[in-house]
Coordinates of all heavy atoms in Angstrom, one line a residue:
A77 N 36.0 3.4 12.7 CA 37.0 2.4 12.5 C 36.5 1.0 12.8 O 36.9 0.0 12.1 CB 38.2 2.7 13.2
D78 N 35.6 0.9 13.8 CA 35.0 -0.5 14.2 C 34.2 -1.0 13.0 O 34.3 -2.2 12.7 CB 34.2 -0.4 15.4 CG 35.0 -0.2 16.7 OD1 36.3 -0.3 16.6 OD2 34.5 0.2 17.8
R79 N 33.4 -0.2 12.4 CA 32.6 -0.6 11.3 C 33.4 -1.1 10.1 O 33.2 -2.0 9.4 CB 31.7 0.5 10.8 CG 30.4 0.7 11.7 CD 29.5 1.7 11.1 NE 28.2 1.8 11.9 CZ 27.1 1.1 11.5 NH1 27.2 0.2 10.5 NH2 26.0 1.2 12.3
I80 N 34.5 -0.3 9.9 CA 35.3 -0.7 8.7 C 36.2 -1.9 9.0 O 36.3 -2.7 8.2 CB 36.3 0.5 8.4 CG1 35.6 1.8 8.0 CG2 37.4 0.1 7.4 CD1 36.4 3.0 7.8
A81 N 36.5 -2.1 10.2 CA 37.2 -3.3 10.6 C 36.3 -4.5 10.4 O 36.8 -5.6 10.0 CB 37.8 -3.2 12.1
R82 N 35.1 -4.4 10.8 CA 34.1 -5.4 10.6 C 33.9 -5.8 9.2 O 33.8 -6.9 8.8 CB 32.8 -5.1 11.3 CG 31.8 -6.2 11.4 CD 30.5 -5.8 12.1 NE 30.8 -5.1 13.4 CZ 30.5 -3.8 13.6 NH1 29.7 -3.2 12.7 NH2 30.8 -3.2 14.8
L83 N 33.8 -4.7 8.4 CA 33.6 -4.9 6.9 C 34.8 -5.7 6.3 O 34.6 -6.6 5.6 CB 33.6 -3.5 6.2 CG 33.6 -3.4 4.7 CD1 32.4 -4.1 4.1 CD2 33.8 -2.0 4.2
I84 N 36.1 -5.2 6.7 CA 37.2 -5.9 6.2 C 37.3 -7.4 6.6 O 37.6 -8.3 5.8 CB 38.5 -5.2 6.5 CG1 38.5 -3.8 5.9 CG2 39.7 -5.9 6.2 CD1 39.7 -2.9 6.4
E85 N 37.0 -7.7 7.8 CA 36.9 -9.0 8.4 C 35.9 -9.8 7.6 O 36.3 -11.0 7.2 CB 36.6 -9.0 9.8 CG 36.6 -10.4 10.4 CD 36.2 -10.4 11.9 OE1 35.9 -9.3 12.4 OE2 36.2 -11.4 12.5
R86 N 34.8 -9.3 7.3 CA 33.8 -10.1 6.6 C 34.2 -10.4 5.1 O 34.0 -11.5 4.6 CB 32.4 -9.4 6.6 CG 31.8 -9.4 7.9 CD 30.4 -8.7 7.9 NE 29.8 -8.6 9.2 CZ 28.6 -8.1 9.4 NH1 27.9 -7.6 8.5 NH2 28.1 -8.1 10.7
T87 N 34.9 -9.5 4.5 CA 35.3 -9.7 3.1 C 36.4 -10.8 3.0 O 36.6 -11.4 1.9 CB 36.0 -8.4 2.4 OG1 37.1 -8.1 3.2 CG2 34.9 -7.3 2.4
R88 N 37.0 -11.1 4.1 CA 38.1 -12.1 4.1 C 37.6 -13.5 4.5 O 38.3 -14.5 4.5 CB 39.2 -11.7 5.1 CG 40.0 -10.4 4.6 CD 41.0 -9.9 5.6 NE 41.6 -8.8 5.0 CZ 42.4 -8.0 5.8 NH1 42.6 -8.3 7.1 NH2 43.0 -6.9 5.3
D89 N 36.2 -13.6 4.8 CA 35.6 -14.9 5.2 C 35.6 -15.8 4.0 O 35.1 -15.4 2.9 CB 34.2 -14.6 5.7 CG 33.5 -15.9 6.2 OD1 33.3 -16.8 5.4 OD2 33.2 -15.9 7.4
E90 N 36.1 -17.0 4.1 CA 36.3 -17.9 3.0 C 34.9 -18.3 2.4 O 34.8 -18.5 1.2 CB 37.0 -19.2 3.5 CG 37.4 -20.1 2.3 CD 38.4 -19.4 1.3 OE1 39.2 -18.5 1.8 OE2 38.3 -19.8 0.2
R91 N 33.8 -18.4 3.3 CA 32.5 -18.8 2.8 C 32.1 -17.7 1.8 O 31.4 -17.9 0.8 CB 31.6 -19.0 4.0 CG 31.9 -20.3 4.7 CD 31.1 -20.4 6.0 NE 31.4 -19.2 6.8 CZ 30.8 -19.0 8.0 NH1 29.8 -19.8 8.5 NH2 31.1 -18.0 8.8
L92 N 32.2 -16.4 2.2 CA 31.8 -15.3 1.4 C 32.5 -15.3 0.1 O 31.9 -15.1 -1.0 CB 32.0 -14.0 2.2 CG 31.6 -12.7 1.4 CD1 31.0 -11.7 2.4 CD2 32.7 -12.1 0.6
R93 N 33.8 -15.6 0.1 CA 34.6 -15.6 -1.1 C 34.2 -16.8 -2.1 O 34.1 -16.6 -3.3 CB 36.1 -15.6 -0.8 CG 36.5 -14.4 -0.1 CD 38.0 -14.2 0.0 NE 38.3 -12.9 0.4 CZ 39.4 -12.2 -0.1 NH1 40.2 -12.7 -1.0 NH2 39.6 -11.0 0.4
L94 N 33.9 -17.9 -1.5 CA 33.4 -19.0 -2.3 C 32.1 -18.7 -2.9 O 31.8 -19.0 -4.1 CB 33.4 -20.3 -1.5 CG 34.7 -20.9 -1.1 CD1 34.4 -22.0 -0.1 CD2 35.4 -21.4 -2.3
Q95 N 31.2 -18.1 -2.1 CA 29.9 -17.7 -2.6 C 30.0 -16.7 -3.8 O 29.3 -16.7 -4.8 CB 29.0 -17.1 -1.5 CG 27.6 -16.9 -1.9 CD 26.9 -18.1 -2.3 OE1 27.0 -19.2 -1.8 NE2 26.1 -18.0 -3.4
A96 N 31.0 -15.7 -3.6 CA 31.2 -14.7 -4.6 C 31.7 -15.3 -6.0 O 31.2 -14.9 -7.0 CB 32.2 -13.6 -4.1
A97 N 32.5 -16.4 -5.8 CA 33.0 -17.0 -7.0 C 31.9 -17.8 -7.7 O 31.8 -17.7 -8.9 CB 34.2 -18.0 -6.6
R98 N 31.1 -18.4 -6.9 CA 29.9 -19.1 -7.5 C 29.0 -18.0 -8.2 O 28.4 -18.3 -9.2 CB 29.2 -19.8 -6.4 CG 28.0 -20.6 -6.9 CD 27.2 -21.3 -5.8 NE 26.0 -22.0 -6.3 CZ 24.9 -22.2 -5.6 NH1 24.8 -21.8 -4.3 NH2 24.0 -22.9 -6.1
D99 N 28.8 -16.9 -7.5 CA 28.0 -15.9 -8.1 C 28.4 -15.5 -9.5 O 27.7 -15.3 -10.4 CB 28.0 -14.6 -7.2 CG 27.1 -13.5 -7.6 OD1 27.7 -12.6 -8.4 OD2 25.9 -13.5 -7.3
R100 N 29.8 -15.3 -9.6 CA 30.4 -14.8 -10.9 C 30.2 -15.9 -12.0 O 29.9 -15.6 -13.1 CB 31.8 -14.6 -10.7 CG 32.1 -13.4 -9.8 CD 32.8 -12.2 -10.3 NE 33.3 -12.2 -11.7 CZ 34.5 -12.6 -12.1 NH1 35.3 -13.0 -11.2 NH2 34.8 -12.4 -13.3
K101 N 30.2 -17.2 -11.6 CA 30.1 -18.2 -12.5 C 28.6 -18.3 -13.0 O 28.3 -18.4 -14.2 CB 30.4 -19.6 -11.9 CG 30.3 -20.7 -13.0 CD 30.8 -22.1 -12.4 CE 30.9 -23.1 -13.5 NZ 29.7 -23.3 -14.2
L102 N 27.6 -18.2 -12.1 CA 26.2 -18.2 -12.4 C 25.9 -17.0 -13.4 O 25.2 -17.1 -14.3 CB 25.3 -18.2 -11.2 CG 25.2 -19.4 -10.4 CD1 24.5 -19.1 -9.0 CD2 24.3 -20.4 -11.2
C103 N 26.5 -15.8 -13.1 CA 26.3 -14.7 -13.9 C 26.8 -15.0 -15.3 O 26.1 -14.6 -16.4 CB 27.0 -13.5 -13.3 SG 26.2 -12.8 -11.8
A104 N 28.0 -15.5 -15.4 CA 28.5 -15.8 -16.8 C 27.7 -16.8 -17.5 O 27.5 -16.7 -18.7 CB 29.9 -16.3 -16.6
D105 N 27.2 -17.9 -16.8 CA 26.4 -18.9 -17.4 C 25.1 -18.4 -17.9 O 24.6 -18.9 -19.0 CB 26.2 -20.1 -16.4 CG 27.5 -20.9 -16.1 OD1 28.5 -20.7 -16.8 OD2 27.4 -21.6 -15.1
R106 N 24.5 -17.5 -17.2 CA 23.1 -17.0 -17.6 C 23.0 -15.6 -18.1 O 22.0 -15.0 -18.2 CB 22.2 -17.3 -16.4 CG 22.0 -18.7 -16.0 CD 21.0 -19.0 -15.1 NE 19.6 -18.8 -15.6 CZ 18.5 -19.1 -15.0 NH1 18.6 -19.7 -13.7 NH2 17.3 -18.8 -15.5
G107 N 24.2 -15.1 -18.4 CA 24.2 -13.8 -19.1 C 23.8 -12.6 -18.2 O 23.2 -11.7 -18.6
I108 N 24.2 -12.7 -16.9 CA 23.9 -11.6 -16.0 C 25.0 -10.5 -16.1 O 26.1 -10.8 -16.0 CB 23.8 -12.1 -14.5 CG1 22.9 -13.4 -14.4 CG2 23.3 -11.0 -13.6 CD1 21.6 -13.2 -14.8
R109 N 24.6 -9.3 -16.2 CA 25.5 -8.2 -16.2 C 25.6 -7.5 -14.8 O 24.6 -7.4 -14.1 CB 25.0 -7.1 -17.2 CG 25.1 -7.5 -18.7 CD 24.6 -6.4 -19.5 NE 23.2 -6.2 -19.3 CZ 22.6 -4.9 -19.1 NH1 23.4 -3.9 -19.0 NH2 21.3 -4.8 -19.0

Side-chain angles (χ1 to χ4, degrees):
D78 289 345
R79 281 185 173 271
I80 296 175
R82 192 178 311 121
L83 169 70
I84 294 173
E85 180 181 0
R86 290 183 181 179
T87 64
R88 293 172 179 171
D89 186 294
E90 191 60 31
R91 289 170 299 179
L92 181 146
R93 295 195 167 215
L94 288 172
Q95 186 62 41
R98 184 185 177 206
D99 181 271
R100 297 243 354 270
K101 185 177 187 307
L102 282 169
C103 288
D105 290 345
R106 296 191 67 173
I108 311 301
R109 291 179 294 130

